[in-house]
Amino acid sequence: MKRRNLFVFFDSAYQGFASGSLDKDAWAIRYFVSEGFELFVAQSFSKNFGLYNERVGNLTIVAQDGENLTRILSQMEKIVRTTWSNPPSQGARIVSKTLNCPELFAEWKGNVKTMADRVLLMRDQLKGKLQALNTPGTWEHITQQIGMFSFTGLNPKQVEFMIKERHVYLMASGRINMCGLTSSNIDYVAQSIHDAVTKVQ
Ligand SMILES: Cc1ncc(COP(=O)(O)O)c(C=O)c1O
């Protein structure tokens, strides 16, 4: 990126959900900063705070030169004024209070880890169940991928079967939200994927 003089823009929407640790998931951003890059980080708290409708997030700007920061700020203020002007404050207050209070911060970090561990467990179980059912194909990608979503590898017709016949909802691309899997529905979902793969080409 240095050689090609590219500008770095991170889109951080799931911090903590990949590894269970906020610091581990922030590694790439910190690495780029340590390498001297100037960069933007757009951060969303929709997922890791469960505040989907509150529009909470921030834009972190890393610049080498203080004067550049002043210029960026004045540009940002114009953009903000002409687009949303006043953001809703309720969700931002919840996040700010949590991040600035050591007890609440520790509790939230524990919550994020619980979520990440649960998704890792569901990935492991889904892969195991598909392998136990001898579902054609390889299912290693379910545990090799990280985060909240997984590409199942189902094609659009198989996705249609999942939705219409089994009422398991996923994107036409085969992308599924792992958080929707629980110990009570995982057998049903694994069997449905098995049926989709074996009955629909
Ligand atoms: C990678 C990525 N970036 C950004 C967003 C948007 O986050 P927000 O809900 O704060 O608009 C999402 C949400 O789906 C996402 O998946």
Side-chain angles (χ1 to χ4, degrees), residues 11-14 43-47 52 55-57 149 175:
D11 175 16
S12 172
Y14 304 90
Q43 181 166 34
S44 167
F45 293 110
S46 295
K47 282 89 176 174
Y52 289 94
R55 316 308 307 143
V56 200
F149 298 96
R175 188 184 189 231

Side-chain angles (χ1 to χ4, degrees), residues 77-144:
E77 280 170 352
K78 273 190 201 146
I79 294 170
V80 166
R81 186 71 192 148
T82 52
T83 47
W84 64 86
S85 185
N86 281 295
S89 62
Q90 157 89 357
R93 287 203 184 117
I94 294 171
V95 172
S96 170
K97 187 156 190 176
T98 307
L99 298 184
N100 288 300
C101 163
E103 292 82 34
L104 291 177
F105 186 47
E107 185 183 333
W108 174 65
K109 280 200 282 190
N111 295 162
V112 169
K113 183 157 175 21
T114 301
M115 278 292 299
D117 287 348
R118 202 189 75 74
V119 169
L120 289 174
L121 182 70
M122 288 299 111
R123 283 182 184 281
D124 208 45
Q125 289 189 1
L126 183 62
K127 182 181 84 175
K129 285 181 193 294
L130 290 168
Q131 286 171 340
L133 288 166
N134 277 324
T135 309
T138 57
W139 301 99
E140 291 299 330
H141 56 276
I142 295 181
T143 48
Q144 279 163 357

Side-chain angles (χ1 to χ4, degrees), residues 52-72:
Y52 289 94
N53 302 321
E54 302 287 346
R55 316 308 307 143
V56 200
N58 62 47
L59 180 72
T60 300
I61 294 160
V62 177
Q64 302 293 357
D65 159 3
E67 278 184 26
N68 261 353
L69 266 187
T70 318
R71 288 187 202 104
I72 295 167

